[in-house]
Amino acid sequence: MDYIKELNPDAVILLQTLYNPMYVAKALRNAYQEGANRLNAVIRKYAEDNPGTYTVVEVGAAFGDDESLITIDYIHPNSKGHVVIATQVLKTLKALGIGENTEPVYTEKKISTLYDKAIYAFRRVMNVLFFLIK
């Protein structure tokens, strides 16, 4: 942060909180959530203790417990997840007086929607299997 501010004292730095992408097994979900909670606490605390260093974008809270925002790799957001992230960034920029639009531009493709639905149905089956095996 210091180096960025040294290069450009007027730079606006946004730091996003983490979301929990793990839906494959409850034990993994709980472990990921604990890690995300700890990292998010550090992100917020540093921002509180060092005003003006960066602005926190609350992505973790916006994702909540919505599995439909995550790709099949159980880590990355899908197109709907990216819309959630973009919305939070735009809202934060507006609150900082930098932007006016809070609605991201998004065109949903039919094939993507069908693919996502099939993947989430498969994922639900896999979650049940992991639960039964455990």
Side-chain angles (χ1 to χ4, degrees), residues 4 15 17 31 35 41-43 52-53 61 68-69 73 78 82 84 87 91 93 102 110 121 124 128 132 134:
I4 293 170
L15 192 59
T17 56
V42 169
I43 290 168
T53 303
S68 74
L69 302 176
D73 70 0
N78 60 20
H82 281 290
V84 170
T87 300
K91 285 179 181 179
L93 290 172
T102 59
K110 297 281 185 196
R124 281 191 292 279
V128 169
L132 292 175
K134 185 181 173 191

Side-chain angles (χ1 to χ4, degrees), residues 6-131:
E6 181 181 315
L7 292 174
N8 182 354
D10 298 325
V12 175
I13 302 170
L14 304 179
L15 192 59
Q16 299 175 7
T17 56
L18 301 175
Y19 58 89
N20 184 351
M22 188 52 59
Y23 290 92
V24 67
K26 185 174 180 159
L28 289 175
R29 178 137 180 92
N30 292 341
Y32 267 71
Q33 190 61 57
E34 183 178 335
N37 289 345
R38 288 180 181 189
L39 287 169
N40 289 340
V42 169
I43 290 168
R44 291 183 192 106
K45 178 79 169 125
Y46 188 88
E48 181 183 312
D49 292 347
N50 300 278
T53 303
Y54 58 79
T55 300
V56 177
V57 180
E58 290 292 344
V59 171
F63 266 59
D65 203 24
D66 190 349
E67 180 180 354
S68 74
L69 302 176
I70 308 299
T71 62
I72 191 168
D73 70 0
Y74 292 105
I75 299 292
H76 299 97
N78 60 20
S79 56
K80 291 192 282 187
H82 281 290
V83 169
V84 170
I85 292 170
T87 300
Q88 293 307 112
V89 168
L90 290 169
K91 285 179 181 179
T92 302
L93 290 172
K94 183 176 182 180
L96 293 171
I98 296 172
E100 294 181 13
N101 185 13
T102 59
E103 293 298 320
V105 176
Y106 175 68
T107 304
E108 187 172 353
K109 306 287 187 219
K110 297 281 185 196
I111 191 74
S112 173
T113 303
L114 292 173
Y115 175 77
D116 283 348
K117 287 179 181 177
I119 292 302
Y120 298 126
F122 174 75
R123 205 189 276 175
R124 281 191 292 279
V125 170
M126 293 305 293
N127 287 343
V128 169
L129 290 176
F130 277 119
F131 178 76

